[in-house]
Amino acid sequence: MTDSIDSNSSLGFAEQLVCLSVDLHALNSSSQKLLGLSLVQWSVLRKILKSPAISAGTLAEESKIHPSTLTPTLNRLESMGLIYVFERPKDLRRKLIVISRAGFALCLEVEKQIVLIFGAHAPSRALEHISEFVNDSVTEMNRFQRRST
Amino acid sequence: MKRLMTDEGLKVLEAFCLTHTLFAFDYDGTLAPICDHPDNAEMRESTRTLLKKLTQYVPVAVISGRKRSDVEQFLPAGIDFIIGNHGVEGLPSGTDTIDTAKNACLQWKSALKKDLINSDDVWLEDKTYSLSLHYRKATDKKKARTQLLEAVSSLTPPPRIVLGKFCINIMPAGAPHKGVALLELMLKSGTRCAVYLGDDDNDEDVFSLSEENLLTIRIENSINSGALYCLNTQLEIDDFLVKVLEFCESHGKPKRMT
């Protein structure tokens, strides 16, 4: 029984996913050291650039980053002077987030570097499949959790 | 509503200039000062020059309550979209509604000619696809307004009534309004964001849109308006255009249309 579980390809894939997660974390840290922004911070900044006056709620939804993770990222970007967070006129429950001039300049610079580093070899299709698989797995795990409670 | 020409407001405006944004304007009371008669509503020369320059950098739309051909005569060349009759006239998708609007206006006009106070105080402006009843020159404006509202409320088919500055606009119910027009122009121009400036109650169709990607600016503060920011007076429109041009020039953002 143990042998058949050990040889199950799903378990091997799960282990590879863990390795990928660790590698992504390392890539994020390297990006922060080299470019001044982690990939997560860059991605959030890019969304703010493309959608000025976005609220934190919409940003969390669009970037698929959990609000509890997004808040420290936004705080960090704000303290770096890359974004401004204002009270939204007419709706004080929502913030109004915009990119700053410095944020715009850094975002463009980081994007140039990413293109150079990743080059033409970025396997975007493969990542799409993995991302889809991981999302489906999260949904499945949540379903299990609901059933057991 | 916050003032736009402040440190905070200008930071927000600059952010909109850093991405592909449609700049849309109402005409009367926004680009041009309000005047006694619509025929005299010329923009200041400075505004005209600045607006023309803006068209080199960003997609520009004018969405007016006037007839399209009427507002066009006042505008410089290069405006990407000119929409008339509060959004009814000039929209690519509006071909179906335009005939309905024309027929309704003919019916309303003939009914109003019978009912309408026949005096110099009130003037009916026929814009083919909507009607405007002006009472700016009435000595008793309140009385004139009440009488006009009574007259339009009995019209068939029942119109959509939008109050303006000393005028009552009537248009077909269900026809596209300024908010619909703006959203369609954003799609047409391939822009995800828009800045809209207006001064009147009929601009509330845009101001009340809850989209986060819109920067809505009203000429003169009003507590009842849904706009996010305001300019103090119409005179500030030139300062606004100067700022936008300054931001566009410093970031060298090219105009892009799909």
Side-chain angles (χ1 to χ4, degrees):
Chain A
M1 186 67 182
T2 314
D3 282 349
S4 68
I5 288 178
D6 281 346
S7 62
N8 191 310
S9 64
S10 301
L11 298 182
F13 185 69
E15 280 185 332
Q16 283 178 330
L17 277 182
V18 173
C19 291
L20 178 65
S21 166
V22 172
D23 290 343
L24 283 174
H25 188 74
L27 181 66
N28 220 21
S29 302
S30 303
S31 164
Q32 189 151 23
K33 278 181 202 148
L34 181 72
L35 310 172
L37 279 182
S38 72
L39 290 176
V40 173
Q41 287 169 339
W42 160 74
S43 169
V44 170
L45 196 59
R46 183 178 164 81
K47 288 221 157 42
I48 296 169
L49 167 63
K50 297 220 176 258
S51 303
I54 197 167
S55 67
T58 310
L59 187 58
E61 220 170 84
E62 287 193 5
S63 58
K64 293 177 184 169
I65 297 175
H66 195 273
S68 61
T69 313
L70 185 63
T71 306
T73 305
L74 289 176
N75 289 342
R76 178 83 183 120
L77 292 174
E78 190 182 14
S79 68
M80 289 164 81
L82 303 177
I83 60 166
Y84 301 113
V85 181
F86 298 124
E87 299 288 341
R88 179 174 290 273
K90 300 279 164 191
D91 185 358
L92 299 179
R93 291 165 304 169
R94 284 191 296 166
K95 298 286 183 195
L96 185 154
I97 307 166
V98 290
I99 198 163
S100 71
R101 210 175 279 191
F104 175 66
L106 184 60
C107 189
L108 292 193
E109 187 51 39
V110 167
E111 287 180 9
K112 273 186 208 160
Q113 298 296 326
I114 288 174
V115 171
L116 278 177
I117 294 166
F118 284 17
H121 307 293
S124 58
R125 293 296 303 162
L127 278 181
E128 257 175 48
H129 292 313
I130 294 173
S131 174
E132 205 174 297
F133 177 84
V134 170
N135 278 328
D136 289 348
S137 304
V138 171
T139 312
E140 193 63 21
M141 281 187 182
N142 287 340
R143 203 175 294 153
F144 268 118
Q145 199 179 10
R146 273 199 300 273
R147 257 187 239 152
S148 61
T149 50
Chain B
M1 189 186 294
K2 292 181 180 178
R3 287 178 56 220
L4 184 78
M5 304 306 266
T6 58
D7 185 46
E8 177 186 321
L10 291 174
K11 280 173 177 161
V12 175
L13 179 63
E14 183 170 14
F16 274 83
C17 296
L18 293 171
T19 190
H20 293 283
T21 298
L22 172 70
F23 282 76
F25 303 85
D26 169 43
Y27 185 73
D28 294 275
T30 302
L31 287 172
I34 293 285
C35 61
D36 282 348
H37 197 279
D39 289 350
N40 306 326
E42 291 277 357
M43 271 186 273
R44 284 184 296 276
E45 202 47 48
S46 53
T47 312
R48 195 182 169 81
T49 308
L50 291 165
L51 186 66
K52 186 167 172 56
K53 202 169 175 191
L54 186 68
T55 62
Q56 296 165 18
Y57 292 95
V58 292
V60 174
V62 173
I63 307 175
S64 170
R66 286 173 180 258
K67 201 171 171 177
R68 191 180 181 278
S69 58
D70 187 15
V71 70
E72 195 172 12
Q73 65 175 326
F74 291 116
L75 299 173
I79 305 289
D80 300 283
F81 306 100
I82 302 170
I83 306 297
N85 275 292
H86 308 278
V88 177
E89 191 185 7
L91 275 184
S93 69
T95 45
D96 291 343
T97 49
I98 211 141
D99 289 338
T100 319
K102 194 175 178 178
N103 291 334
C105 282
L106 285 172
Q107 278 178 262
W108 295 335
K109 196 179 167 184
S110 89
L112 284 169
K113 268 185 178 168
K114 287 180 213 155
D115 294 347
L116 206 61
I117 318 104
N118 201 7
S119 75
D120 293 338
D121 286 354
V122 174
W123 172 59
L124 190 152
E125 187 186 0
D126 180 0
K127 298 184 287 187
T128 313
Y129 309 108
S130 74
L131 302 178
S132 290
L133 302 156
H134 298 269
Y135 58 94
R136 180 175 292 275
K137 288 183 178 172
T139 37
D140 189 344
K141 292 185 174 59
K142 207 173 170 184
K143 190 179 168 192
R145 183 171 173 265
T146 310
Q147 283 178 325
L148 288 173
L149 282 172
E150 274 173 15
V152 297
S153 62
S154 59
L155 292 174
T156 317
R160 178 169 182 246
I161 302 167
V162 180
L163 302 177
K165 283 185 177 152
F166 302 116
C167 87
I168 294 168
N169 304 293
I170 55 172
M171 57 206 83
H177 54 62
K178 285 187 171 188
V180 173
L182 182 70
L183 295 175
E184 188 171 330
L185 295 182
M186 285 166 70
L187 278 176
K188 179 91 180 141
S189 60
T191 50
R192 285 181 50 158
C193 319
V195 174
Y196 182 84
L197 289 93
D199 74 309
D200 213 341
D201 282 357
N202 60 60
D203 296 302
E204 293 300 327
D205 285 332
V206 177
F207 298 155
S208 60
L209 294 171
S210 57
E211 267 75 358
E212 288 178 358
N213 49 356
L214 295 183
L215 175 58
T216 48
I217 305 160
R218 193 181 192 280
I219 308 292
E220 292 180 9
N221 200 345
S222 162
I223 47 164
N224 298 322
S225 174
L228 297 177
Y229 290 88
C230 69
L231 296 181
N232 284 338
T233 66
Q234 193 277 331
L235 285 167
E236 270 191 356
I237 192 73
D238 284 7
D239 300 334
F240 168 84
L241 291 168
V242 166
K243 274 291 166 199
V244 173
L245 284 166
E246 189 185 304
F247 294 144
C248 289
E249 280 166 359
S250 66
H251 300 301
K253 188 166 72 66
K255 182 168 177 166
R256 188 183 71 175
M257 298 270 283
T258 50

